[in-house]
Amino acid sequence: MKLSCKASKFEPEDFISSMPDNVITHILDRLPLQEAVRTGILSRKWRFKWSLLSQLIFDDKFRAYLSVKYDRNDLGRVISRLLLHLQGVITKFVLCYYPINVEDISHWILFLSRKGLKNLTIQKSYGHEQPLKLPTHLFSCLELKHLKLEACCFDPPTSFHGFPNLLSLELCQVQFDSRKFGDLCPALEMLKMTSPYRTSKVKPSEVGKLANLKILSLFMCNLGNTSSGTIFEIVSFLPNLKELDLDFINCKLTEGGTKERCPSTFPCIKTLKLSTIDLGNGAMLSFAFEMIRSFPNLQTLEITASEHGIDPTPGICFPEVDYNTTGSLQLGSVVLRRLKCVENEPNPYMEQKPETNPLPQSVHDNLFIANTLINIGLRTDGIIDRRFRDLVDPKIPANPKPVEGVSSYDVSIDPCWFRVFVPDATTHNLPVIVYYHGGGFAFYGPDSGPFDGLCRRFASKIQAIVVSVNYRLIPEYRYPTQYEDGFNVLKFLDDKKNHKTLPKNADLSRCFVFGDSAGGNLAHHVCIKASQYKFQHIKVIGLVALQPFFGGEQRATSELSAENRLGLHLNQTDFYWNVFQPIAGDEKWDKDNEVINVSGPRAVDLSGLDFPATLVVIGGRDILEDWQRKYCVWLKNSGKEVYMEEYEYMFHGFYTFPELAEATHVLSLVRDFVYKQIKIKTLVHSRL
C-alpha cells in the first residue's frame, strides 16, 4: 500500500526557494557573508544555495566573527574553501589581508581573474603596518571596473598595457611608479588618493592624461609641484571633470600662479571641495577665490579650515583677487567647517551634524530585504514565522576579548538574560546604561548583530557600562511581560548581592535608561515605575528614547505620508499592537490606552513623579515622528526636562547603520546628554 504525504494547509508557502537563481543571488549578496552561508541550514533545497554568491566581503567584521570560533590564522583556509564551492562569476571581492599568507592572496587573485571579477578591494587590517606587494596575477584581471587599494605596492610588469575597463581607482598609502600612471587606466572616471602619508607622488602630467575623469580627489602634497597653477594646468586637460576635491594638509602652497588670473574658465565643474585650508595663508585664500571664479557653473562648495586656521581675522582681504570679476554664481549648497560664527556649526565642542546626502544604495537594499522577510513572516492568524527574518539577524556571541575596545559577557536571570558591554577604561565610576532593544516587541535581542554593534559603540563612545536586556517577545509572551522583564532587570541590579555581575567601576547612582523603537516605549514605562520605586543603590538620572514606538486610535499625518514609509510600515505597526495586547478581554484596551498612546487621553500623570531628563531622537522619514513630537510636548507640559533632536531625512532605525554619518552623530549627541546630566547631578549634590 502506497502512502502519500500531503502538505499541511497551515504550512507557510516557501516563496523564496522558488525564486529564480539570479534573484536569490541578489538577496544572498546583501547578507553578511557568514549569514549567507548559514542559509544552508534552512532546508534541503537551500543546502548549497549560498554557492550562488557573486560578492565576497572578507573584512575586519568577518575576521572578528571568525575569531570567536577559529584561530585568526585559519582565515586563509576558510577563504580558500569558500572560493572552491562557488559556482558562477564573482563580481566583487573585498579582502583585509592581515594575517594572511601572501601566496594565498596570489592564488586567490589568479582564481578571481578567471571568474569575471569587476570590483576588487584590498586593504590592510587594523594593526598591520607592512605594505603588501600585489601579486602579478592582479594585472590579468582585465574586466576590472572598480579597484581600491590600501597599503600596497603597485608595480605592474613592463608587459602590462593597462586596465581597459577600469572606471574608478582609490589609492590609500600606495607606492607606485607614477611615470606611466596616466596610460594604465584610459577609461578612468574617478580617481581618489585618500591619504597623504606613505603614498607615492603623482606627476600632474600623468593625471592630465586621464581625459575621461569626472571625479578627482587629491592631496596637494601628493603632487610633485605644489604651485597653485599646477591644479589649473591639470583641470585644463580634463574636459569632463565635474567634481574636484583637494586637501591641503602638509602642503606649503607657493604663490606662483595666484597673482596672475587664470585665463580660462571651466564650466563643467559642478562641485568643489577644499579641505584643511590655512585661513592665515594668503596664497591659499587667493587660490581658493581664483578657483571659485574659474568655475562659473559651480553648484556645491565645501570649505574646511585647518585646525590652526579656525579663527580667521574678520574682514580679511587679499589684493590678488579681483572680487568684481567673480560674476554671479549658481551655488545651491555651501558648507563651511571649523569656522567660528558660522551658522551650520552652532556647537564647536560637538561633532558637526552631518549635511544631508542621499542614502547609500546598500542601505536601501538592506531595508528592502529586511522588510520583505519580516512581511513574509507576519501571518494573518497572529503567528510570527522568524525563520527568514533570522537570515538577516546574525547572532553575535558574547566575547570576553575586547572588540573595538569593548568586551562583553552574558548574565542569566530567570526567565530572561542580559548582555554587559565593558569598555577598556581605567576610569572609576563609569555610568551604567540599561538598554532595551527595538523590533516591535517581536524581533531581535542583545545578541542580534545590529544591537550588539550599537551597544558596543555606546560603551566605547560614552565610556559607560551598557546592560542590554533580552526581554521576552510577542506573540508568545504578551503585555505586560516585556515591562515586567524590563523593570526586573533594574531590581536585580539594585540588589547588593548581584553587584558582582557588573564591573567594580560601575556607578549605579549614575544610571541611564536607553531604548529604541519598541525599546523606547519600554524604557519610558520602566522610568515611570522607577520613579515610583524606592531603590537602594540605583538612581535613574536620564532617559534616551531613540524613535520610540508610540501610537493611537487616530492615524497621525506622518503615518499616512507616503514619503515617510522607509524602514517601518503601517501594516507592521498594526500587526505588532494587535498581538501585543493581552488575550484576556478588556473594554479599555485600544490604541489610546496609556501603554501605546503615552501622551493621550489616558496618559499617566507625571507631575508628581521624579521622572528623569529625557532626550528624544526623531527621524523625518519615520512614520512615527508625529507621535514622538507629541510625546516631547507632553513631557514639557508636564514640567519635565526634555530635549529633542531631529534628523530630517532619516528613516526608522537609522542609528543601527554605522556607515551613516547621522548614526555617528547620534553617538556624540547621546554622549553629551549623558555627561551633562552627570554634571548637573554632581553639582546638585555638592550644594546639599
Side-chain angles (χ1 to χ4, degrees):
M1 178 171 152
K2 189 175 180 181
L3 297 176
S4 62
C5 185
K6 224 177 192 180
S8 170
K9 64 179 180 179
F10 298 106
E11 185 177 346
E13 186 176 351
D14 187 354
F15 295 102
I16 295 185
S17 295
S18 58
M19 290 181 178
D21 283 352
N22 64 322
V23 176
I24 292 177
T25 299
H26 186 76
I27 294 174
L28 291 172
D29 283 341
R30 264 88 189 146
L31 296 176
L33 183 57
Q34 60 270 25
E35 300 307 318
V37 175
R38 280 185 63 223
T39 60
I41 67 174
L42 284 176
S43 68
R44 188 178 302 172
K45 290 182 181 179
W46 278 81
R47 186 175 181 185
F48 293 108
K49 288 285 187 184
W50 63 269
S51 63
L52 297 173
L53 278 166
S54 65
Q55 299 184 13
L56 300 175
I57 301 179
F58 301 104
D59 56 7
D60 278 333
K61 291 182 180 179
F62 181 79
R63 185 167 62 87
Y65 168 80
L66 282 185
S67 66
V68 177
K69 296 183 178 181
Y70 302 95
D71 184 87
R72 67 177 188 171
N73 295 315
D74 289 337
L75 180 57
R77 179 174 55 85
V78 171
I79 295 176
S80 295
R81 291 180 62 184
L82 282 171
L83 287 173
L84 289 175
H85 281 84
L86 297 183
Q87 298 178 11
V89 297
I90 302 175
T91 59
K92 182 177 181 179
F93 188 81
V94 177
L95 175 67
C96 289
Y97 61 76
Y98 174 78
I100 296 176
N101 189 292
V102 176
E103 291 185 6
D104 285 339
I105 297 177
S106 180
H107 292 314
W108 299 337
I109 298 295
L110 175 61
F111 177 81
L112 293 168
S113 68
R114 300 165 180 172
K115 284 284 189 175
L117 185 65
K118 291 181 172 57
N119 190 328
L120 175 63
T121 298
I122 299 179
Q123 56 193 35
K124 68 175 182 179
S125 292
Y126 177 77
H128 188 76
E129 298 298 331
Q130 293 300 320
L132 171 73
K133 182 174 175 55
L134 292 170
T136 55
H137 298 308
L138 170 65
F139 305 104
S140 300
C141 300
L142 300 182
E143 295 183 47
L144 273 178
K145 290 188 175 181
H146 308 282
L147 178 60
K148 181 177 180 180
L149 302 175
E150 180 182 352
C152 298
C153 295
F154 186 80
D155 186 20
T158 54
S159 59
F160 179 63
H161 298 295
F163 296 107
N165 301 302
L166 196 66
L167 299 179
S168 70
L169 176 62
E170 293 186 49
L171 303 176
C172 177
Q173 300 180 12
V174 175
Q175 300 170 17
F176 56 88
D177 184 353
S178 66
R179 287 175 294 180
K180 296 183 179 180
F181 185 80
D183 298 322
L184 297 179
C185 316
L188 200 66
E189 295 181 353
M190 183 185 78
L191 172 62
K192 290 187 176 182
M193 302 181 69
T194 58
S195 174
Y197 307 107
R198 300 178 183 175
T199 300
S200 299
K201 295 187 182 299
V202 60
K203 291 186 176 181
S205 58
E206 292 299 315
V207 178
K209 293 180 181 179
L210 304 172
N212 293 316
L213 270 187
K214 295 179 180 179
I215 299 175
L216 176 61
S217 178
L218 291 172
F219 284 83
M220 289 290 288
C221 62
N222 289 145
L223 293 174
N225 185 348
T226 55
S227 166
S228 55
T230 303
I231 293 298
F232 290 113
E233 179 184 349
I234 292 175
V235 172
S236 66
F237 288 104
L238 304 176
N240 298 310
L241 193 65
K242 297 185 182 302
E243 179 178 323
L244 180 61
D245 185 351
L246 300 174
D247 196 306
F248 292 83
I249 191 171
N250 296 340
C251 173
K252 298 189 179 298
L253 189 68
T254 60
E255 297 200 14
T258 61
K259 293 187 177 181
E260 293 185 9
R261 285 181 48 195
C262 180
S264 303
T265 58
F266 306 97
C268 287
I269 294 184
K270 301 293 193 299
T271 300
L272 177 63
K273 299 178 182 180
L274 303 175
S275 303
T276 326
I277 287 277
D278 182 357
L279 297 176
N281 185 313
M284 283 192 184
L285 274 182
S286 296
F287 173 52
F289 283 125
E290 189 60 34
M291 294 199 79
I292 295 171
R293 188 203 66 79
S294 300
F295 304 152
N297 294 326
L298 200 62
Q299 296 175 1
T300 300
L301 174 64
E302 296 183 13
I303 296 179
T304 303
S306 63
E307 292 289 352
H308 56 281
I310 196 168
D311 193 12
T313 305
I316 191 168
C317 183
F318 294 92
E320 293 90 341
V321 179
D322 183 0
Y323 298 94
N324 295 322
T325 63
T326 55
S328 59
L329 298 175
Q330 309 297 317
L331 285 171
S333 173
V334 177
V335 177
L336 305 176
R337 299 188 181 95
R338 295 181 184 164
L339 298 178
K340 290 185 178 179
C341 303
V342 174
E343 185 178 352
N344 62 348
E345 287 196 25
N347 186 354
Y349 300 103
M350 182 177 172
E351 291 182 18
Q352 182 193 355
K353 191 171 181 178
E355 67 261 24
T356 301
N357 287 312
L359 292 177
Q361 186 60 43
S362 61
V363 173
H364 280 284
D365 291 341
N366 287 335
L367 290 173
F368 172 76
I369 292 172
N371 275 309
T372 299
L373 297 179
I374 284 176
N375 288 333
I376 290 174
L378 302 183
R379 290 166 45 175
T380 55
D381 58 0
I383 300 299
I384 298 177
D385 184 349
R386 296 188 178 91
R387 289 180 303 165
F388 290 109
R389 183 63 186 90
D390 287 346
L391 293 177
V392 286
D393 180 17
K395 301 301 182 184
I396 308 297
N399 195 341
K401 298 179 181 179
V403 176
E404 299 177 6
V406 178
S407 58
S408 59
Y409 58 89
D410 294 338
V411 177
S412 296
I413 54 168
D414 189 50
C416 56
W417 58 276
F418 59 81
R419 176 165 293 180
V420 182
F421 296 86
V422 184
D424 285 346
T426 56
T427 309
H428 294 290
N429 301 326
L430 291 182
V432 175
I433 296 170
V434 180
Y435 190 89
Y436 302 104
H437 65 82
F441 300 107
F443 294 100
Y444 302 114
D447 57 350
S448 296
F451 294 106
D452 180 271
L454 180 61
C455 289
R456 195 175 298 280
R457 293 190 292 275
F458 275 137
S460 176
K461 185 73 172 181
I462 301 173
Q463 287 296 285
I465 309 295
V466 178
V467 176
S468 183
V469 180
N470 185 67
Y471 55 85
R472 288 172 287 177
L473 302 177
I474 61 172
E476 294 84 356
Y477 300 94
R478 297 187 176 227
Y479 172 84
T481 303
Q482 295 73 31
Y483 298 83
E484 293 170 348
D485 289 349
F487 189 67
N488 284 340
V489 169
L490 282 187
K491 292 198 295 185
F492 176 88
L493 295 175
D494 187 59
D495 191 335
K496 189 173 182 178
K497 68 181 182 183
N498 298 324
H499 286 186
K500 60 185 178 181
T501 61
L502 295 181
K504 293 181 180 180
N505 58 347
D507 187 352
L508 289 170
S509 68
R510 300 175 175 182
C511 184
F512 291 81
V513 175
F514 283 26
D516 74 278
S517 191
N521 177 301
L522 177 51
H524 164 79
H525 290 288
V526 166
C527 284
I528 289 179
K529 294 190 72 173
S531 62
Q532 299 168 331
Y533 188 85
K534 291 185 178 180
F535 289 108
Q536 297 298 314
H537 305 281
I538 284 180
K539 175 60 178 174
V540 178
I541 63 174
L543 164 63
V544 174
L546 305 174
Q547 297 179 291
F549 184 20
F550 302 136
E553 281 296 313
Q554 186 175 352
R555 297 292 194 196
T557 303
S558 60
E559 291 178 302
L560 301 175
S561 175
E563 68 175 351
N564 283 321
R565 298 192 177 190
L566 189 63
L568 182 67
H569 294 174
L570 271 179
N571 71 297
Q572 296 167 355
T573 60
D574 288 344
F575 181 93
Y576 298 146
W577 288 133
N578 287 337
V579 300
F580 176 79
Q581 61 181 307
I583 296 177
D586 187 341
E587 293 180 1
K588 293 185 178 180
W589 186 270
D590 55 33
K591 290 182 183 176
D592 278 336
N593 68 70
E594 68 278 10
V595 176
I596 299 174
N597 192 352
V598 297
S599 54
R602 301 201 291 273
V604 176
D605 182 8
L606 298 183
S607 57
L609 300 180
D610 185 20
F611 195 83
T614 304
L615 170 65
V616 182
V617 172
I618 295 175
R621 298 189 68 182
D622 182 2
I623 64 173
L624 303 177
E625 64 164 319
D626 286 352
W627 294 112
Q628 295 154 4
R629 294 180 195 279
K630 185 180 177 183
Y631 175 62
C632 293
V633 172
W634 172 69
L635 286 177
K636 185 177 181 181
N637 292 339
S638 300
K640 303 306 173 185
E641 184 181 353
V642 59
Y643 305 88
M644 186 185 81
E645 186 76 12
E646 179 182 3
Y647 296 84
E648 184 178 0
Y649 294 94
M650 285 296 100
F651 53 91
H652 192 81
F654 73 92
Y655 38 82
T656 61
F657 289 81
E659 63 266 37
L660 294 177
E662 290 81 359
T664 301
H665 187 268
V666 166
L667 297 177
S668 300
L669 175 76
V670 171
R671 176 199 60 197
D672 291 353
F673 171 79
V674 166
Y675 283 101
K676 178 181 179 180
Q677 298 309 313
I678 291 175
K679 185 176 181 180
I680 292 173
K681 174 184 176 293
T682 305
L683 185 62
V684 169
H685 276 229
S686 66
R687 292 179 177 177
L688 294 178

